[in-house]
Amino acid sequence: MRGQLCLAADRPVIAFDNAGVGRSTGQTPDNIAAMARDAFAFINLLGLSEVDLLGFSLGGCVAQQIAAEHERLVRKLILVGTAPRGGEEHLLAVLQEAFSQTDAPDPRLPLFFTKSSASRSSGLAFLKRTKLRKDDRDTDNGNAVTDPQAKALITWCATPDPEHAILRAIRQPALVVSGSHDTMLPANNAYAMFKELGNAQLVLYPDSGHGALFQYPDMFVSHVRTFLEAHPAAA
């Protein structure tokens, strides 16, 4: 994908499948804390003492947990299309609606993009990009992955955190990104995180859904690069 290639042009980018996902062995946990422990163990095994952490959707919840627990490990944090603990989610209803649209070529089209012609066009381009890689593709492990992932996300959002303990424990510079019309994890979550994080920037992309980063890949990469390259005190 264009955005990933640009991010990796001048910095190492490591994208990995957590336990049970894709071709990673093990069982997919059904809670954020366990997912965070697995991701932290993976980072440790790579011998990395400091990382910039980017988490999308469920991964954004995992990234929050890691950043809150391991301040010295995470230099900067990028949270995309995600929610804080106790945040708002409409996962099951939105999934049901998306899979009922039999005229859609892929359920990710209504899940990640809006109904406007511009957003739908970007969505079709995104779907085309996902098929470019023919060899060495990840395997689809079905309900063994999606069921515990759904439980983890729903439980995370259903767990009250009136004191915003997780967000207030995150002291690293953070970039919070959301689509203006995200139906899965609404943009209200992004604003809530922005307000409670001690050192955060907020970016909302117009006429976009849960897959805003896929609709605006070049703009997203530009924002991320600017954020990562800025001096920490200015972030």
Side-chain angles (χ1 to χ4, degrees), residues 23-42:
R23 287 182 295 174
S24 289
T25 58
Q27 185 175 353
T28 302
D30 64 0
N31 63 89
I32 300 299
M35 292 178 178
R37 286 194 295 271
D38 288 341
F40 176 69
F42 174 76

Side-chain angles (χ1 to χ4, degrees), residues 180-218:
S180 60
H181 293 76
D182 189 334
T183 55
M184 294 178 65
L185 297 172
N188 292 342
N189 291 301
Y191 185 59
M193 289 186 289
F194 166 70
K195 288 195 300 180
E196 298 300 333
L197 288 165
N199 187 2
Q201 301 175 39
L202 174 64
V203 176
L204 292 176
Y205 292 129
D207 182 33
S208 55
H210 194 59
L213 72 168
F214 306 126
Q215 182 168 336
Y216 299 100
D218 295 331

Side-chain angles (χ1 to χ4, degrees), residues 3 71 79 125 151 164 176 178 182 190 213-214:
E71 183 176 356
L79 303 172
K151 181 179 179 181
H164 307 289
V176 181
S178 178
D182 189 334
L213 72 168
F214 306 126

Side-chain angles (χ1 to χ4, degrees), residues 78-130:
I78 304 160
L79 303 172
V80 188
T82 190
R85 191 167 66 181
E88 182 183 356
E89 61 85 19
H90 304 286
L91 180 63
L92 295 181
V94 174
L95 285 174
Q96 185 177 17
E97 170 66 18
F99 279 91
S100 70
Q101 298 185 30
T102 56
D103 60 329
D106 187 292
R108 287 173 294 183
L109 189 60
L111 282 173
F112 285 6
F113 302 89
T114 73
K115 295 180 180 180
S116 77
S117 59
S119 184
R120 183 178 174 83
S121 177
S122 295
L124 292 172
F126 158 72
L127 293 176
K128 185 176 180 179
R129 292 197 300 272
T130 65

Side-chain angles (χ1 to χ4, degrees), residues 40 43-44 46-51 70-75:
F40 176 69
I43 294 170
N44 269 343
L46 292 179
L48 302 174
S49 59
E50 185 179 67
V51 298
H70 305 284
E71 183 176 356
R72 293 184 178 181
L73 175 66
V74 180
R75 186 183 76 102

